[in-house]
Amino acid sequence: GPCTPSWIAGQRFPFTWPTHAGNFSMPAPYDPAVTAAWTTFVAAAGARYGCDASVTAVHITGPTVFSAEYHMSQELVRQPGYSDARLLAAWSSSILAFNSAWPAGKFLISDISQVYSPHDGLRTAVAAQAAALGTKRVWFQMDHLLAGAAATDPDTQLLESYRLQGFTVGFE
């Protein structure tokens, strides 16, 4: 995201964010330098906290903008070299890094509906890769609980599909 240190190499692109004033820049999350630095960071965090019993769950994050939620800048899809496949590969790398760092850990997948792509299949693919870690290890959550949400709402459908598969689901 925008807090990535400037010493991490990689192509940066400008973006705006509706709820944060100002203009920002961040490296492309699929840039190999960014992926390598993130994997190293996650491994170090796992080495430090992986056996700490007070850590009950860890957010799987990585190619995001401002939080552990799966928010991504819409400007990203307009950058040279962007593809859903490259962003999915960055998510795959992050999911594998967390799984390696916390091999017995429980993981939160937070607000998967915010994975932005002109193709809705990207968020489904990211969720499926996380789900492959198993029903006892992954909890899916969203940040919007709408009492009147229709059963046809894509976010509600995605969360419900994982609940029906035996995953723990909830709302932040």
Side-chain angles (χ1 to χ4, degrees), residues 89-114:
W91 275 113
S92 299
S93 175
S94 190
I95 291 166
L96 291 172
F98 277 91
N99 189 45
S100 294
W102 280 274
K106 291 192 176 169
F107 301 112
L108 299 171
I109 307 302
S110 185
D111 211 10
I112 194 72
S113 66
Q114 298 299 321

Side-chain angles (χ1 to χ4, degrees), residues 104-170:
K106 291 192 176 169
F107 301 112
L108 299 171
I109 307 302
S110 185
D111 211 10
I112 194 72
S113 66
Q114 298 299 321
V115 173
Y116 178 78
S117 167
H119 312 104
D120 192 48
L122 181 62
R123 73 177 176 161
T124 305
V126 172
Q129 288 190 356
L133 299 177
T135 59
K136 301 296 183 206
R137 297 189 62 210
V138 176
W139 306 332
F140 288 93
Q141 59 185 31
M142 301 281 184
D143 71 353
H144 54 280
L145 175 59
L146 304 172
T152 57
D153 173 67
D155 298 337
T156 303
Q157 287 179 337
L158 185 62
L159 200 64
E160 179 66 1
S161 73
Y162 282 105
R163 185 191 70 78
L164 292 172
Q165 293 175 51
F167 287 90
T168 299
V169 301

Side-chain angles (χ1 to χ4, degrees), residues 1 4 8 29 31-45 59-64 90-91 93-95 97-98:
T4 302
I8 295 179
D31 186 293
V34 174
T35 302
W38 183 248
T39 299
T40 299
F41 169 77
V42 171
H59 275 273
I60 292 181
T61 188
T64 61
W91 275 113
S93 175
S94 190
I95 291 166
F98 277 91

